Amino acid sequence: MTRRRSEAPRDRSGPYDPRRAAVETLGREAGYTIKPHRGRLRVALAFPNTYFVGMSNLGLQTVYRLFNAREDVVCERVFLPPKQELKAMGDRRLPLVTIESQTPVNDFDVFALSVSFEWDYTNVLTLLGLANIPVYAKDRTAKHPLIVIGGAVTFVNPEPLALFADVIAAGEGEVLVPALADALTAGDFDRQEALRALTVQRGFYVPSFYDVRYADEGHIAAFEPKAGTGAPAIVRKAAVRTTEALDPPATTIFTPDTEFGSRFLVEVVRGCANLCRFCWAGYNYLPVRAFPADRILAMAAAAKPYSDRAGLVSIALCDHPKIDEILDGLAELGYSISPASLRLDDLTPGIVRRLKASGERSLTIAPETGSDRLRRVINKTMTNEEIAAAAEMIFAEGIENLKLYYMIGLPTETDEDLAAIRDLTVQLHKVMLSHARARGRIGRIIASVNPLVPKPGTAYQWLPMERPDSIDRKIKYLRELTAGVDNVYFNIKSERHSFYQALLSLGDRRVAPAIVEAERNGGHWRAAVAETGVDAEFFVFRDRQADPVLPWDIIDGGQRATFFRGELDKAMKAEWTLPAKRVKDHATAVSAANAS
């Protein structure tokens, strides 16, 4: 039964009670599902961060909807308590309970965690501890829930989490959820039988069914399936072939207590055809699939009683063939519209005009660098001239503010490329001012700059991250270059933050002890690495081009290593994949490369 929002006052008196807090949370929600537990597979579904963050995650909401669409499954949610409440739970040994029925997580058949960010790895362990579940899979027994870890990071590189998971679900929820439910509802629930049943399904990786053999130099020599398990040599990522018959991932539970408020979020297009060489999402969500416009608008109409703001989620929003129809339809429903980052080469005056008419004052674009040469290195197929023309169009249509995404530490980068970031930003600032004077109001340009973390499943997966002293020097130089430009603000992420993100992105299961220690010591990663003896530099600063096996090779993401090596070679020559202008479907070129 799906419930609507009721008015329930918050009771802050007395000591913290997780059950009372769950009831209060339900009182501020609309769209949650309540089911009896008896006779059903019971799934506790977690996002390993706070409710405020997790309820804005479309992956979590989609998996919740897919599980509860089945009559034989009941799925309930759980989140990381806020810091003060977390301490109270630890001090008083309070149980971690679900929101819907306030049932302890340890009573469920399955504890599924949807992980989107490396920084949430320690939170996975915190939730297991609060639920009184051993963090290492080897220490669990049949009395414990089956721990299933899924989400975006797991089909990029699951190995840092491998020792904590009974099952890793690699791929897209629309395929994984039905297969998981089928396997676990067939006959009596037996842990080992269920694991063996899942290994024959696409997208399910059971780490305990594999031995990992290491070479003398320290890299992985082989993943070896254990005899009698039926585990495949390589696990193929699960993905939907077409979205034509699917409802798009969208907000179905509404609450004001989230990162985006009571905003209706909906995925418009999955995947991106541009294939920037650094972008794991661009490769891992291929092929490009647009969700049906009529279904997007139907879900938006159903959500209208709870929201008047729509957030369009996609890494290639304008790749939807009916994006104009979708924007017009949302406007007719009375929504204000906010897009995710927009790809400049697809923007049109009509699209910008529609966004402005819906109340949007800011847009986000990603030049990535200020140099045409370096943009060829990363396969970002646009030029400074095209970026400036797009900015002219954006500001001419009345948009006041612009957010820019840049990276440093890219392959072959020089100081001239850093100066080009300043020059391009100043050029865009002049365009903004030329239109601001006529309006009598000056907007802002905010530039976010991040060091490159070479990601698994990309053309840069073999490359080491740039050394800290070099990144620190570049950060200092860029700050000097950009100081004093009015109405332009540069947010530059530190090298240290990116270093530990790289460790969690590029590591293997030998990183697990550092994750355990970082959870114990409150997130002090330097101390955690030192205490556990994990050789972080081995994973972060080592060139992997000679390695026969990479940690993430256990998952087949759909692209061959020969294709990625060809892309890396072109990067070093500053060549686009396609030497002419970007064509609409780079995926065609990838398919041809993989077939060759």
Side-chain angles (χ1 to χ4, degrees):
M1 179 171 59
T2 299
R3 300 297 180 95
R4 290 175 176 259
R5 178 158 49 220
S6 60
E7 295 301 325
R10 302 191 188 198
D11 183 359
R12 298 299 188 192
S13 62
Y16 176 71
D17 181 349
R19 289 183 171 88
R20 181 180 63 187
V23 172
E24 292 177 358
T25 297
L26 283 181
R28 297 187 296 275
E29 288 188 345
Y32 60 87
T33 299
I34 296 288
K35 286 183 181 180
H37 285 206
R38 186 180 297 275
R40 291 181 167 93
L41 178 74
R42 299 167 301 163
V43 179
L45 175 64
F47 189 89
N49 207 303
T50 62
Y51 179 93
F52 180 80
V53 175
M55 281 304 294
S56 295
N57 183 269
L58 285 187
L60 179 93
Q61 294 228 18
T62 300
V63 170
Y64 179 83
R65 172 173 58 83
L66 291 169
F67 270 127
N68 280 318
R70 293 181 61 117
E71 181 57 31
D72 55 356
V73 177
V74 54
C75 180
E76 300 182 354
R77 294 161 295 145
V78 65
F79 299 91
L80 184 77
K83 187 173 294 185
Q84 186 173 349
E85 288 82 351
L86 182 62
K87 184 178 186 304
M89 290 183 68
D91 291 345
R92 297 168 54 205
R93 297 183 179 276
L94 299 174
L96 182 69
V97 299
T98 59
I99 291 176
E100 283 78 359
S101 68
Q102 302 87 58
T103 301
V105 168
N106 210 0
D107 288 347
F108 282 75
D109 302 311
V110 177
F111 188 20
L113 300 104
S114 179
V115 187
S116 295
F117 310 106
E118 291 93 351
W119 291 120
D120 286 340
Y121 289 2
T122 53
N123 295 338
V124 169
L125 305 191
T126 300
L127 288 173
L128 291 173
L130 289 173
N132 197 28
I133 299 170
V135 296
Y136 284 108
K138 65 180 177 60
D139 296 328
R140 297 180 199 128
T141 67
K143 72 176 183 179
H144 295 112
L146 192 73
I147 306 304
V148 180
I149 299 180
V153 295
T154 59
F155 62 89
V156 178
N157 180 15
E159 282 304 287
L161 293 172
L163 297 182
F164 310 128
D166 297 316
V167 181
I168 286 175
E172 298 175 353
E174 293 89 351
V175 177
L176 294 167
V177 168
L180 179 66
D182 286 345
L184 300 185
T185 55
D188 294 331
F189 186 92
D190 178 87
R191 194 182 200 87
Q192 288 304 310
E193 286 184 11
L195 293 177
R196 283 191 289 270
L198 286 170
T199 60
V200 302
Q201 299 288 333
R202 184 166 181 164
F204 292 100
Y205 168 43
V206 180
S208 63
F209 284 1
Y210 295 81
D211 290 318
V212 182
R213 184 163 52 83
Y214 300 96
D216 292 341
E217 296 81 7
H219 59 259
I220 294 174
F223 286 92
E224 299 174 339
K226 294 180 180 178
T229 62
I234 295 176
V235 177
R236 297 174 66 201
K237 178 188 73 176
V240 296
R241 293 179 180 273
T242 175
T243 56
E244 291 177 4
L246 293 179
D247 282 334
T251 304
T252 53
I253 302 174
F254 292 89
T255 172
D257 303 328
T258 75
E259 193 172 6
F260 298 109
S262 293
R263 184 173 296 180
F264 171 67
L265 302 176
V266 60
E267 185 176 4
V268 177
V269 179
R270 185 170 295 176
C272 175
N274 208 49
L275 297 189
C276 298
R277 292 181 176 120
F278 60 86
C279 181
W280 68 267
Y283 290 112
N284 281 280
Y285 285 108
L286 283 175
V288 178
R289 291 150 292 167
F291 286 93
D294 59 343
R295 290 177 180 260
I296 292 171
L297 294 175
M299 295 183 77
K304 196 63 181 65
Y306 313 111
S307 180
D308 57 5
R309 296 179 297 164
L312 305 184
V313 178
S314 174
I315 54 176
L317 179 66
C318 299
D319 273 357
H320 199 294
K322 296 184 178 180
I323 187 60
D324 291 331
E325 177 183 325
I326 292 169
L327 294 174
D328 288 341
L330 291 171
E332 290 172 7
L333 288 168
Y335 278 103
S336 64
I337 306 167
S338 297
S341 177
L342 291 163
R343 220 172 51 202
L344 279 172
D345 43 5
D346 276 339
L347 275 181
T348 65
I351 289 173
V352 177
R353 198 174 301 127
R354 289 176 175 88
L355 295 173
K356 175 65 170 59
S358 77
E360 194 68 17
R361 298 176 58 191
S362 303
L363 291 182
T364 301
I365 61 175
E368 308 299 359
T369 181
S371 155
D372 287 346
R373 181 199 69 82
L374 200 51
R375 230 171 270 119
R376 291 195 298 272
V377 170
I378 63 176
N379 204 41
K380 190 83 173 183
T381 48
M382 64 180 68
T383 65
N384 283 346
E385 182 180 354
E386 292 169 318
I387 293 170
E392 174 70 35
M393 179 259 292
I394 288 170
F395 289 120
E397 293 297 337
I399 297 296
E400 298 176 18
N401 308 303
L402 199 59
K403 184 171 183 179
L404 308 173
Y405 283 125
Y406 291 117
M407 290 187 295
I408 57 175
L410 293 166
T412 76
E413 184 177 69
T414 66
D415 282 358
E416 287 74 18
D417 295 311
L418 299 179
I421 290 177
R422 185 270 319 274
D423 295 343
L424 177 60
T425 306
V426 169
Q427 183 180 3
L428 301 183
H429 177 252
K430 290 178 180 177
V431 174
M432 180 184 74
L433 287 180
S434 69
H435 292 278
R437 292 190 183 99
R439 290 193 297 265
R441 187 170 60 252
I442 299 176
R444 297 190 304 171
I445 292 179
I446 300 175
S448 177
V449 183
N450 295 280
L452 171 70
V453 174
K455 287 287 187 175
T458 73
Y460 295 158
Q461 63 184 350
W462 292 282
L463 299 184
M465 186 175 173
E466 192 162 341
R467 287 278 176 177
D469 54 349
S470 177
I471 290 292
D472 285 343
R473 184 194 67 79
K474 289 182 176 182
I475 288 174
K476 181 179 179 181
Y477 181 53
L478 190 57
R479 290 192 190 281
E480 292 171 353
L481 287 171
T482 57
V485 183
D486 292 337
N487 303 105
V488 174
Y489 305 88
F490 273 81
N491 297 324
I492 305 177
K493 188 178 290 186
S494 71
E495 172 278 328
R496 182 178 301 176
H497 181 277
S498 298
F499 173 81
Y500 293 108
Q501 183 189 6
L503 173 63
L504 297 176
S505 295
L506 302 170
D508 58 35
R509 57 183 64 187
R510 290 173 292 183
V511 172
I515 300 175
V516 173
E517 178 61 21
E519 192 277 333
R520 188 200 66 79
N521 71 19
H524 299 291
W525 281 97
R526 179 175 297 199
V529 167
E531 178 70 22
T532 57
V534 170
D535 188 353
E537 294 200 0
F538 172 83
F539 295 107
V540 177
F541 296 136
R542 185 174 57 87
D543 189 301
R544 291 170 287 276
Q545 292 187 69
D547 289 8
V549 179
L550 300 172
W552 44 92
D553 283 349
I554 187 62
I555 305 295
D556 178 2
Q559 310 301 331
R560 291 185 180 178
T562 51
F563 170 72
F564 283 137
R565 288 191 181 275
E567 286 296 291
L568 180 59
D569 183 60
K570 289 180 181 180
M572 297 309 172
K573 298 175 182 176
E575 294 177 359
W576 280 331
T577 292
L578 300 174
K581 287 282 293 177
R582 187 187 69 84
V583 298
K584 260 306 190 187
D585 192 3
H586 275 196
T588 302
V590 176
S591 298
N594 280 337
S596 63

